[in-house]
Amino acid sequence: QVQLVESGGGLVQAGGSLTLSCVASGNIVSINFMAWYRQAPGKQRDLVASITSIGITNYAGSVKGRFTISRDNAKNTVALQMNSLEPEDTAVYYCKANIKKYGEGWDRAYWGQGTQVTVSS
């Protein structure tokens, strides 16, 4: 079984910083695409940032220049450094990874359980 576990959420004042972490575990052969999504109450889940296995990154326009995504392929982890946080960043943040398991010949998308980030004004 494959599992993604996030950590690092919490309450922070506007202008502050938080770092989210996500670790993938299980019978993993390889991890391709890794990403962070977020979902605010009453809104759809949106992509925040993504990173490929060779480190190519992509960011939503609203976080570009404030957030940085990184990954450690040896540890199967992905992190999201969030700076200059704004109340509009308040949401549940989800980790997603496209993972190939032993015994399977294709990638499958897995999601973490989510971690709450609340930014107070």
Side-chain angles (χ1 to χ4, degrees), residues 7-10 12 15-21 36 38 48 63 66-69 79-86 89 91 93 115-119:
S7 60
V12 65
S17 298
L18 279 175
T19 300
L20 305 182
S21 297
W36 289 94
R38 67 186 181 187
V48 175
V63 307
R66 299 189 297 123
F67 291 10
T68 302
I69 189 170
L80 186 68
Q81 173 67 43
M82 304 184 294
N83 298 325
S84 303
L85 283 161
E86 304 168 352
D89 296 317
Y93 283 70
T115 185
Q116 177 70 46
V117 171
T118 302
V119 184

Side-chain angles (χ1 to χ4, degrees), residues 5 12 17 23 27 46 56 64 74 82 89 91 97 102 108 113 115:
V5 178
V12 65
S17 298
V23 57
N27 52 337
D46 291 326
I56 298 172
K64 198 170 292 186
M82 304 184 294
D89 296 317
Y102 283 101
R108 189 190 301 269
Q113 80 286 355
T115 185

Side-chain angles (χ1 to χ4, degrees):
Q1 189 65 289
V2 171
Q3 190 176 18
L4 298 181
V5 178
E6 300 117 333
S7 60
L11 173 65
V12 65
Q13 288 189 331
S17 298
L18 279 175
T19 300
L20 305 182
S21 297
C22 173
V23 57
S25 61
N27 52 337
I28 296 170
V29 173
S30 61
I31 303 177
N32 187 3
F33 175 90
M34 301 188 84
W36 289 94
Y37 285 73
R38 67 186 181 187
Q39 187 168 20
K43 295 189 177 181
Q44 67 181 18
R45 189 175 298 187
D46 291 326
L47 176 68
V48 175
S50 65
I51 185 167
T52 69
S53 59
I54 59 172
I56 298 172
T57 59
N58 182 52
Y59 295 92
S62 59
V63 307
K64 198 170 292 186
R66 299 189 297 123
F67 291 10
T68 302
I69 189 170
S70 61
R71 63 188 285 174
D72 185 329
N73 291 333
K75 297 181 179 179
N76 291 340
T77 60
V78 62
L80 186 68
Q81 173 67 43
M82 304 184 294
N83 298 325
S84 303
L85 283 161
E86 304 168 352
E88 294 73 23
D89 296 317
T90 295
V92 178
Y93 283 70
Y94 296 90
C95 171
K96 178 187 177 183
N98 290 358
I99 296 173
K100 181 182 294 183
K101 292 170 51 178
Y102 283 101
E104 293 183 353
W106 58 89
D107 289 356
R108 189 190 301 269
Y110 293 87
W111 291 88
Q113 80 286 355
T115 185
Q116 177 70 46
V117 171
T118 302
V119 184
S120 63
S121 57

